[in-house]
Amino acid sequence: MADTDILNSNFNILLKKKKYSDALTMVTEWEKEKDLSTGRISGKLLLLLSKTYYFNNRYKKSKEYLELYETQHPELWFNKLYIEQKYRLLILEERADQSIELIERALEIEHPESEKYWLFFYLGKAYFWNGDYLKANRYFQKCYIYYLECNNEYMLALTMYMMGYLCFQRAVFNKAEDHFRESLVIFENADKTQQIGHCHKMFSLIYTRTGRYEEAKNELKMAIRKYNKLGSDSNILHCNIAEAYIGIFEGDYKLCERELKETYKEAARLNYKRAQALSAEFLGQVYYRRNKYREAESWLSKALKLTDHFSRCGDVAVEIYRSLGDVKIALGTLDDAEEMLSKAYKLCGHLGDKYELGSVYRAKALLALRRGDFDQGRSFFEESIITHSSINDKFELAYTYKIAAAEYMEWTKGESVSFGVKKRLFGEAKSYSLNAMRLYSSIKLGNHAQHCRDLFQNIENESNEGFKESRYKQIIFNPSWLYGDVLIARSRHMKDVVNRIKTIAAENIEVFIEGETGTGKEVVAQLLHKWSNRSEGPFIAVNCASVANELFESEFFGHAHGAFTGAVRRKAGYIKSAEGGTLFLDEISELTRSQQAKLLRVLQESKLRVVGETEETDIDIRLILASNVKIDKLLNNKLLREDFYYRVCSEIIRLKPLRERPDDIAALFAYYLNSENNEILAERDLIKFLNNYLWPGNVRELIKVVKSISIRNGNIHVVTLDDLPVWIRDSNQHYSLDKKTLIKNTLRRCEGNKTAAARGLGVSRSTLYRWIEELKS
């Protein structure tokens, strides 16, 4: 049969209809009549043959035809169909970096605009599979705008689908669902059956991860109907695996076991290694939850071996490593567990997988407890809770609460556990078991909720209800609250700030930090520098208010020897001193508009002329600015030039005052009191007094208070209310003062802000308004 015969036959039609198994049957018949070792075969046919074998999961044969194409048609390496097929095989072999090189090389050649953006789309996908989500998103955004403007609805839908997948991988489920929903509408209008099925499958995965199991199963049914139309065995198999996975959450383990063994066999028959690995992995999870740890280890080891065929660095691998970590902890092989969890943790960072990261933290908590390190275990449990909470992962959050509650209860049985620690552990265990029960109930998992209710009752029964209320409680600083050895973050607001810093630290962009005096703007700047690729360079901090107007140019740009009277030696200015590092300018509004213009010129041109010299030199700095005045106010009052603002405000970080983040007050107090000493006791109401105070000087004022306590008390073991400054104690004695004086003093401290005054007085805003009206009458 000639090349053209097969191309003009039903072969091409079958491929367009995605009837790959039927197409493969036709190809194998054709191959019997064709001697592939001799003669030249058309490039188009070779690519179609490679594609046919690829979609029948016969990847080795697919690669052979592609290599034959490369040998016989080397001049057509930039062919669109070739790039698409080469991309598929490189991604399959976990060589996304090579697919990036291929597409970037193709982009060096002049292409029509439509082909250029098609290449951008595949480059975005390549960066996605390489774990570089920032660059992937950048290319998807380019494609989104282009396809929107040129009205290419199909490519627009594919782009939105990948944007949804990107959000899903980063556990931003609401946004992912929106993208999939928009792409689904276009796929339905274009009658793209396979893509419609893909959207429903992704909806199912989102609903599974957010605890909406019935909706997840309904979406799977719709996906299967679409895949049945195409005869797409591999996609149907994947849906069956996903359905069994839902059963694990619902606790129907025997049914899951039976279904997953069937999908494992079917995946082996189809030579679909990824589906085989998923089936084996989920079987491992089933056996783990049934406390059959040896069987769990066996299936998870099979799953890990199968990832050799497609990826030891992908989303499946990270789940397997973490699950093996759990199993090996249960078996007592703790060193092996640590090795598995280290690999899982590293992959979570590579993939940006918050969903799995929370479970890795939970496993690390168990590992630490088995090694007798309760403080580290407790810290990891807290990180797990924070991570699962941040992505609204109710099942895994509930599971972490349940495991932590059970572990804390067991820990109380240790002979070395003190009275105070034991009491606290029982209290936290009860709280965690109740949280788990409520979460399980909210996602309609009644059997899990009942188990947590029983757990709570056991904790209640075992706890000593005769514990006497102590006048004191321990002040403990948790090391997990300290980031980069410089910033303390316990409150949700400050943890969000830390996450923001992590996101933008590596980007070489200017940052503006806004916050009241003493809120920690310089500390945030230090952490931005420490986590950036400039961390080896200098960090230069300048308070602009301290720079005299007439010395501005000399201080910032430097001066040559003899440049002016008194210039007895050459001096490097702040900018040059920060070369290769970060320059932090606090109280930026203290610079005049003229000084801002001079600084702007240096930033725009990245060149500096020293006072007294004529030649300019190149500079390389990162600028971080800060102000205790809100940016809007600076602009409205003409204290900040608009052109300067637009140049330096690529990102803005706003810090709340300390009075609005009470969780940080206790953490800061504990840290600065004595971060090394966990035996410090504080009078029970002391933290309440600290929280009630308005802290006009914010963190800086709190540090002064702690230092004054340390100076007076020396080696601190017990802190009482009498150790606090009188103004903090007085601010808490609301009713010991004349009401009018109290309200007047509080309003003055809050600069007339009634909301802040009400908070400081410990009353609602409406109560404060009522008091003010009563005093007027």
Side-chain angles (χ1 to χ4, degrees):
M1 186 185 294
D3 291 354
T4 52
D5 292 337
I6 192 169
L7 287 173
N8 292 331
S9 70
N10 291 332
F11 176 59
N12 229 350
I13 298 171
L14 291 172
L15 287 180
K16 286 181 179 178
K17 290 185 175 181
K18 304 188 185 301
K19 299 279 188 179
Y20 298 117
S21 58
D22 294 341
L24 181 61
T25 301
M26 184 172 288
V27 167
T28 52
E29 290 298 318
W30 175 78
E31 284 177 322
K32 291 176 184 177
E33 304 174 20
K34 183 75 175 178
D35 184 1
L36 298 178
S37 62
T38 61
R40 184 179 171 91
I41 304 173
S42 74
K44 183 176 181 181
L45 178 57
L46 287 171
L47 292 175
L48 290 175
L49 292 171
S50 177
K51 182 178 178 180
T52 301
Y53 277 107
Y54 177 88
F55 282 107
N56 280 282
N57 304 315
R58 295 179 61 177
Y59 305 121
K60 185 178 179 181
K61 194 75 172 176
S62 174
K63 189 175 181 181
E64 287 176 5
Y65 273 117
L66 195 66
E67 289 174 346
L68 192 57
Y69 174 92
E70 291 168 342
T71 302
Q72 295 190 1
H73 305 279
E75 76 285 357
L76 298 177
W77 68 270
F78 55 85
N79 178 286
K80 185 176 176 180
L81 292 176
Y82 165 73
I83 289 174
E84 185 176 41
Q85 188 57 21
K86 183 74 171 178
Y87 162 84
R88 290 189 184 112
L89 288 169
L90 287 172
I91 295 300
L92 182 72
E93 295 171 352
E94 199 62 28
R95 291 191 291 168
D97 54 338
Q98 292 186 28
S99 68
I100 291 170
E101 291 175 10
L102 171 72
I103 299 168
E104 287 183 338
R105 183 183 167 206
L107 281 165
E108 292 174 2
I109 301 171
E110 194 69 32
H111 292 279
E113 195 171 43
S114 60
E115 285 192 16
K116 183 178 76 171
Y117 276 91
W118 180 87
L119 288 168
F120 281 164
F121 172 72
Y122 271 90
L123 187 55
K125 289 179 71 174
Y127 274 120
F128 172 81
W129 292 116
N130 203 41
D132 194 337
Y133 295 148
L134 190 64
K135 286 185 178 176
N137 189 49
R138 198 172 295 161
Y139 281 104
F140 291 146
Q141 291 294 340
K142 283 177 183 280
C143 293
Y144 176 80
I145 297 298
Y146 172 74
Y147 291 126
L148 196 64
E149 289 177 347
C150 70
N151 203 29
N152 186 334
E153 294 244 307
Y154 179 63
M155 286 303 299
L156 177 65
L158 288 177
T159 302
M160 287 193 294
Y161 179 87
M162 286 307 303
M163 290 166 71
Y165 207 159
L166 187 64
C167 292
F168 176 80
Q169 286 295 96
R170 298 162 96 174
V172 188
F173 298 129
N174 289 340
K175 198 168 181 63
E177 186 175 355
D178 290 341
H179 284 310
F180 290 134
R181 192 73 61 193
E182 289 183 67
S183 56
L184 177 61
V185 171
I186 297 173
F187 290 143
E188 287 179 335
N189 290 336
D191 198 25
K192 297 292 183 180
T193 306
Q194 179 163 280
Q195 282 72 27
I196 294 170
H198 289 346
C199 287
H200 286 300
K201 183 174 70 177
M202 292 310 299
F203 289 142
S204 173
L205 294 177
I206 290 171
Y207 296 157
T208 299
R209 291 196 172 187
T210 52
R212 298 147 68 184
Y213 303 117
E214 287 304 317
E215 292 176 73
K217 286 187 272 191
N218 289 335
E219 291 294 336
L220 278 178
K221 289 176 184 175
M222 287 189 274
I224 290 171
R225 280 202 293 269
K226 295 298 177 182
Y227 294 143
N228 273 327
K229 279 188 177 181
L230 299 170
S232 181
D233 293 340
S234 60
N235 280 311
I236 293 170
L237 178 62
H238 197 87
C239 289
N240 291 337
I241 294 169
E243 189 171 20
Y245 185 52
I246 295 171
I248 295 176
F249 291 97
E250 294 180 323
D252 196 347
Y253 301 135
K254 289 186 178 179
L255 178 62
C256 290
E257 179 185 356
R258 186 168 63 250
E259 290 179 347
L260 288 168
K261 284 183 176 178
E262 289 176 4
T263 59
Y264 181 82
K265 290 178 184 177
E266 181 64 10
R269 186 185 71 79
L270 293 171
N271 195 34
Y272 189 17
K273 302 297 184 185
R274 181 181 173 89
Q276 248 189 303
L278 282 170
S279 298
E281 178 208 338
F282 295 156
L283 274 166
Q285 290 191 28
V286 167
Y287 283 117
Y288 173 75
R289 291 173 189 267
R290 293 173 67 187
N291 301 325
K292 295 184 176 183
Y293 302 126
R294 288 298 178 191
E295 291 94 329
E297 184 181 39
S298 174
W299 278 105
L300 288 168
S301 298
K302 286 180 185 177
L304 188 60
K305 189 174 182 180
L306 283 162
T307 61
D308 288 335
H309 295 277
F310 57 94
S311 171
R312 273 278 174 112
C313 301
D315 55 338
V316 178
V318 69
E319 294 171 6
I320 296 170
Y321 282 130
R322 190 268 304 165
S323 297
L324 272 169
D326 283 330
V327 170
K328 290 183 184 297
I329 290 169
L331 291 171
T333 53
L334 301 186
D335 289 342
D336 290 344
E338 184 171 14
E339 181 186 354
M340 294 295 105
L341 294 177
S342 295
K343 290 179 179 180
Y345 181 78
K346 184 178 179 181
L347 281 179
C348 283
H350 172 69
L351 298 169
D353 189 345
K354 278 190 175 181
Y355 179 82
E356 196 60 33
L357 179 62
S359 299
V360 172
Y361 281 138
R362 181 178 62 231
K364 280 177 170 282
L366 289 172
L367 178 61
L369 292 179
R370 295 298 177 272
R371 285 176 164 165
D373 191 339
F374 178 76
D375 290 336
Q376 188 178 46
R378 192 168 182 270
S379 176
F380 276 129
F381 270 133
E382 186 168 328
E383 287 300 318
S384 177
I385 289 166
I386 290 169
T387 305
H388 287 311
S389 297
S390 70
I391 60 174
N392 195 29
D393 179 359
K394 293 182 180 178
F395 181 90
E396 295 296 341
L397 177 58
Y399 188 56
T400 299
Y401 275 133
K402 182 182 76 171
I403 296 297
E407 290 293 326
Y408 287 5
M409 184 174 71
E410 285 300 311
W411 198 262
T412 62
K413 298 175 183 177
E415 293 181 2
S416 61
V417 180
S418 68
F419 175 89
V421 171
K422 186 177 293 188
K423 183 177 179 181
R424 187 195 67 200
L425 289 178
F426 273 126
E428 289 188 6
K430 285 189 280 188
S431 174
Y432 280 3
S433 59
L434 285 173
N435 287 343
M437 182 183 71
R438 293 187 187 107
L439 282 165
Y440 280 135
S441 297
S442 73
I443 54 178
K444 300 178 181 178
L445 294 179
N447 55 337
H448 291 291
Q450 182 59 51
H451 180 80
C452 292
R453 191 176 289 109
D454 295 340
L455 176 62
F456 172 79
Q457 193 59 55
N458 289 338
I459 298 169
E460 187 82 359
N461 293 339
E462 289 197 25
S463 65
N464 184 350
E465 296 301 329
F467 278 153
K468 293 181 180 179
E469 185 74 4
S470 172
R471 181 185 170 191
Y472 299 99
K473 65 178 183 178
Q474 267 189 320
I475 295 289
I476 295 177
F477 178 78
N478 189 327
S480 68
W481 300 335
L482 182 62
Y483 294 85
D485 294 326
V486 293
L487 188 146
I488 293 166
R490 185 187 182 191
S491 68
R492 170 47 49 199
H493 167 71
M494 288 307 295
K495 285 187 181 293
D496 288 343
V497 168
V498 169
N499 289 334
R500 185 88 179 282
I501 293 171
K502 287 178 181 177
T503 301
I504 64 178
E507 296 295 309
N508 194 28
I509 55 177
E510 289 78 20
V511 180
F512 197 108
I513 307 170
E514 178 188 289
E516 291 182 4
T517 298
T519 48
K521 298 185 287 297
E522 184 171 341
V523 172
V524 169
Q526 288 175 346
L527 194 55
L528 277 164
H529 172 74
K530 195 165 188 175
W531 284 350
S532 74
N533 52 14
R534 295 174 172 270
S535 58
E536 297 299 319
F539 175 84
I540 305 297
V542 180
N543 188 319
C544 296
S546 66
V547 180
N549 185 48
E550 63 274 15
L551 295 177
F552 169 77
E553 291 190 12
S554 172
E555 293 291 337
F556 275 80
F557 305 147
H559 62 250
H561 170 63
F564 50 82
T565 304
V568 294
R569 63 178 63 87
R570 180 181 175 83
K571 175 183 177 180
Y574 295 136
I575 294 174
K576 199 62 182 176
S577 298
E579 179 70 15
T582 303
L583 177 61
F584 171 64
L585 302 183
D586 199 4
E587 297 190 48
I588 189 63
S589 60
E590 295 297 323
L591 295 183
T592 67
R593 293 175 66 83
S594 172
Q595 290 167 349
Q596 291 174 30
K598 291 175 183 178
L599 188 57
L600 176 61
R601 179 181 174 276
V602 172
L603 293 173
Q604 288 177 329
E605 297 179 8
S606 295
K607 290 184 181 297
L608 174 71
R609 185 168 64 238
V610 173
V611 176
E613 294 182 353
T614 56
E615 292 187 1
E616 293 185 328
T617 58
D618 294 334
I619 59 164
D620 175 27
I621 65 167
R622 181 188 195 170
L623 189 65
I624 299 176
L625 309 178
S627 173
N628 56 18
V629 181
K630 291 184 177 180
I631 293 175
D632 292 346
K633 191 173 181 179
L634 292 177
L635 291 171
N636 292 337
N637 294 340
K638 307 297 183 183
L639 295 174
L640 193 66
R641 292 174 63 102
E642 287 192 357
D643 53 355
F644 185 72
Y645 164 74
Y646 289 121
R647 175 62 180 80
V648 301
C649 287
S650 300
E651 290 284 347
I652 299 174
I653 295 177
R654 292 185 169 90
L655 299 180
K656 289 184 178 180
L658 190 58
R659 61 182 171 273
E660 293 183 19
R661 40 188 177 102
D663 284 347
D664 290 329
I665 294 174
L668 288 160
F669 188 81
Y671 179 77
Y672 287 105
L673 193 64
N674 190 339
S675 60
E676 300 299 323
N677 187 351
N678 283 333
E679 297 301 318
I680 297 172
L681 295 175
E683 201 165 352
R684 186 159 293 278
D685 288 336
L686 184 136
I687 297 299
K688 183 177 74 175
F689 270 53
L690 296 176
N691 288 344
N692 286 341
Y693 181 58
L694 294 176
W695 297 106
N698 291 291
V699 179
R700 190 175 294 132
E701 183 183 7
L702 185 144
I703 294 171
K704 285 184 178 179
V705 167
V706 173
K707 285 183 177 179
S708 70
I709 294 173
S710 301
I711 291 169
R712 286 197 307 272
N713 291 15
N715 187 15
I716 304 169
H717 289 285
V718 178
V719 184
T720 69
L721 294 176
D722 290 337
D723 292 319
L724 293 177
V726 65
W727 60 87
I728 294 180
R729 281 179 279 142
D730 285 349
S731 70
N732 281 264
Q733 306 299 324
H734 297 161
Y735 301 103
S736 64
L737 296 176
D738 170 73
K739 186 192 286 186
K740 185 174 183 178
T741 304
L742 176 63
I743 294 172
K744 184 179 178 181
N745 290 345
T746 306
L747 283 169
R748 185 175 64 250
R749 278 200 304 270
C750 298
E751 298 179 350
N753 186 320
K754 293 184 175 62
T755 301
R759 188 183 300 111
L761 290 165
V763 298
S764 67
R765 196 166 50 175
S766 60
T767 299
L768 176 59
Y769 284 135
R770 179 169 54 80
W771 284 357
I772 293 171
E773 290 301 316
E774 288 173 356
L775 292 172
K776 288 179 181 177
S777 59

